[in-house]
Amino acid sequence: MRARAALLCLCALGAYILWTSSTDQLVQSLPSESRPWLDTSPDPLTPLTPTLPTHPDQPATAPEAPVEPTQPASAVDVVPSHRPPQPSSPRPRKTHNASACIGPTVPPALPPKEAEALKAEIWRTTKAWGYHELAQNYRPFKGMDVLDIGMGQGPMGVVAISVGVKSYKGMDPALCINQRARTRDKTVGRAPNEGECLLIRDSAECKKEGETCEKFRSCMDLWRKKYHTFPYTGLEIMQAYAGRIVLLPGTFASLQPSGLIKHGSFQVATMWLVTEHLPNNRDVIEGIFEWTTPGQLLVLKHHNYYGFDGHHQKPRYPEKYDPTNPSETSVAFWRHLNPTSWVFNSTNTNRVRLGDLIALIDVYFDCAWRATFESKWSPALDAKLWEKLKNRGFARNELLINKWSAACARREAPLPATWLESRVWLLPATDGSYEPMPLPDQLMSKHRGNTVTRIPAKQKHLEQYLAP
């Protein structure tokens, strides 16, 4: 086993990355929902370059002011910022336009009445942005100490505390705790991302008008509504929930010297729709194993890239397909599995094979899991299309699974797994030349209904933690 106590998690607002070449490696290692953009222009209609798509299922973050990027030591071990942690202002709201993100720190306490007033303001805003709808993710962990990996800017922690989580630590290597961040407004629902709007701009319909094209401008207007600046910084959230919420910009390795995270100090580690974005899930899962003790929990939810909507774009269902939308014609009906698709080589999604991921987690954790199928997708996988995809090494059920959720207990020791060295965790080939680990037998056979669940006989208590 390669012991790497390093964990890159989620970070991302949507999916449009304008990082410099010196930070490419770090950007590729972060999930789309909480990546910070270095785009500080107030007008999204300034010249744009098509980049990565936005993931619809989680909040995204981005500093409102420019940040100074750190240099990653490796794809999975980000060193702390080249600046030492700076003392935070007693009133961070007055300094949120600082030019650089500070390191991991706990801000000074506010007077009790001021803290309560700030907490009330933050909770009202969190609800107004629709984050309270994610409460079901955290209800099973009432009274527990939670480490949330890749949680974005901080509203998720506010929701977790609201349903009775004892303490909440959020770890995200791109978190900027002293700046307000562009964040997803959950009330907007499904909306186009910037990459989709750019394809519309460059389409034949808008080619002559470019960024003045009405269809493009309408697309960007909706995108603006989906992502805008959350009015509270991470420091303010920590001050309002002193002793209960700690937001950690970094990884296990970079945070260890801070003393703000300790081995085995949390009862459950969670990852909500993160694994489909990480460049090396092996390093991440091994990192969690190293920082937990036997029996401690890992709970996650994974969005399968190989499902009909695994591209994270529109359409989600065959009947919603718009043949006049250029971004959809390149991804619909499993075209996102083709190298010619605009999302195929996007590092926003890692294309990890579901069989590989399930087998990897099983090495280190004993899991209860649930796979969700989409019955509306099955008719679209007609005989002709299925024959082509089968010849490229896909299992039919692999193409029909939407989400895979797991609730796992850490093993005493890893299972033997010499096959790990041969796995491709980032962008494996889809032409049939790469053979992934097979899906579990329960997922290879015919199924009834929309879910298949596996509960180990000795781990029946894990079912209560499975994500809905």
Side-chain angles (χ1 to χ4, degrees):
M1 180 191 71
R2 300 178 307 172
R4 293 190 185 181
L7 175 61
L8 285 184
C9 325
L10 100 54
C11 318
L13 151 52
Y16 327 107
I17 302 174
L18 304 176
W19 286 88
T20 61
S21 59
S22 65
T23 60
D24 282 348
Q25 188 179 22
L26 175 59
V27 171
Q28 292 176 3
S29 66
L30 304 179
S32 67
E33 278 63 48
S34 51
R35 270 184 202 140
W37 312 126
L38 297 184
D39 175 15
T40 60
S41 169
D43 180 9
L45 293 181
T46 52
L48 301 170
T49 302
T51 50
L52 302 180
T54 297
H55 173 328
D57 297 315
Q58 291 196 125
T61 62
E64 187 177 35
V67 298
E68 294 182 15
T70 56
Q71 293 290 339
S74 74
V76 294
D77 187 5
V78 181
V79 298
S81 169
H82 59 283
R83 292 189 177 190
Q86 302 294 311
S88 57
S89 165
R91 297 309 308 271
R93 269 181 287 180
K94 296 181 180 180
T95 61
H96 74 274
N97 285 324
S99 61
C101 298
I102 64 175
T105 186
V106 175
L110 295 175
K113 288 186 178 180
E114 190 172 347
E116 284 300 316
L118 180 58
K119 182 191 296 184
E121 294 173 8
I122 292 174
W123 175 239
R124 281 195 296 269
T125 304
T126 299
K127 289 180 66 177
W129 284 53
Y131 280 90
H132 62 294
E133 296 177 359
L134 301 175
Q136 74 274 7
N137 288 347
Y138 301 100
R139 285 196 180 98
F141 313 118
K142 184 176 181 179
M144 300 174 70
D145 298 306
V146 173
L147 175 68
D148 202 3
I149 297 168
M151 77 305 157
Q153 179 68 10
M156 306 282 273
V158 175
V159 174
I161 295 299
S162 76
V163 296
V165 165
K166 180 181 178 182
S167 70
Y168 175 95
K169 288 187 176 179
M171 178 192 294
D172 194 322
L175 171 66
C176 190
I177 57 175
N178 59 310
Q179 295 179 23
R180 298 176 188 171
R182 192 185 306 161
T183 304
R184 179 179 174 182
D185 188 328
K186 297 291 288 185
T187 65
V188 174
R190 280 189 171 262
N193 60 54
E194 190 180 24
E196 181 177 342
C197 295
L198 295 173
L199 286 174
I200 292 173
R201 180 198 65 182
D202 297 336
S203 68
E205 183 178 355
C206 288
K207 190 171 184 180
K208 292 182 179 179
E209 299 176 85
E211 292 175 6
T212 65
C213 177
E214 180 58 31
K215 192 171 184 179
F216 168 71
R217 295 184 67 89
S218 296
C219 183
M220 290 299 295
D221 286 345
L222 187 54
W223 176 74
R224 288 192 195 96
K225 292 178 182 178
K226 184 177 179 179
Y227 292 101
H228 50 108
T229 302
F230 193 75
Y232 299 98
T233 67
L235 292 178
E236 289 174 300
I237 292 173
M238 285 191 280
Q239 286 183 313
Y241 292 84
R244 301 196 68 187
I245 293 181
V246 176
L247 302 178
L248 302 167
T251 67
F252 283 134
S254 67
L255 290 167
Q256 186 173 11
S258 74
L260 294 177
I261 185 170
K262 297 180 180 179
H263 178 268
S265 61
F266 43 90
Q267 293 158 285
V268 56
T270 57
M271 292 196 295
W272 304 119
L273 301 167
V274 176
T275 46
E276 63 266 30
H277 302 288
L278 298 171
N280 193 325
N281 275 286
R282 178 183 178 182
D283 289 318
V284 172
I285 297 302
E286 288 180 350
I288 297 172
F289 179 85
E290 292 295 326
W291 278 80
T292 51
T293 59
Q296 289 187 325
L297 302 177
L298 165 65
V299 178
L300 62 92
K301 192 171 187 177
H302 172 77
H303 188 170
N304 175 32
Y305 180 85
Y306 297 89
F308 182 91
D309 76 342
H311 43 68
H312 289 66
Q313 312 302 314
K314 293 181 178 181
R316 183 177 181 184
Y317 300 107
E319 66 271 20
K320 299 292 185 180
Y321 173 54
D322 177 6
T324 68
N325 186 324
S327 68
E328 293 188 27
T329 58
S330 183
V331 299
F333 301 96
W334 290 275
R335 294 190 190 104
H336 64 292
L337 305 185
N338 299 331
T340 54
S341 174
W342 67 284
V343 301
F344 185 78
N345 288 314
S346 166
T347 51
N348 178 57
T349 47
N350 56 25
R351 293 207 314 261
V352 64
R353 296 298 288 265
L354 186 57
D356 285 349
L357 180 65
I358 294 175
L360 164 69
I361 295 173
D362 185 62
V363 171
Y364 299 97
F365 295 87
D366 191 10
C367 299
W369 52 253
R370 179 180 296 125
T372 303
F373 291 79
E374 285 289 352
S375 58
K376 293 183 179 180
W377 295 352
S378 186
L381 193 58
D382 59 34
K384 184 176 181 181
L385 177 57
W386 164 232
E387 188 65 24
K388 290 180 179 179
L389 292 173
K390 181 174 65 173
N391 292 336
R392 290 165 59 183
F394 296 108
R396 184 178 179 86
N397 283 358
E398 181 182 15
L399 304 173
L400 299 177
I401 292 173
N402 182 7
K403 303 291 197 308
W404 181 79
S405 301
C408 314
R410 183 194 186 274
R411 297 186 185 278
E412 291 279 350
L415 299 177
T418 56
W419 53 266
L420 280 171
E421 297 297 334
S422 65
R423 298 302 87 198
V424 176
W425 302 109
L426 179 65
L427 306 179
T430 62
D431 59 2
S433 61
Y434 177 72
E435 184 176 356
M437 296 295 288
L439 293 174
D441 291 341
Q442 300 99 312
L443 294 182
M444 291 294 286
S445 58
K446 291 184 179 181
H447 62 92
R448 294 181 179 180
N450 291 330
T451 61
V452 173
T453 303
R454 181 250 188 191
I455 308 294
K458 295 182 179 180
Q459 300 284 7
K460 291 185 177 180
H461 71 287
L462 293 175
E463 185 175 9
Q464 65 184 307
Y465 302 116
L466 278 177

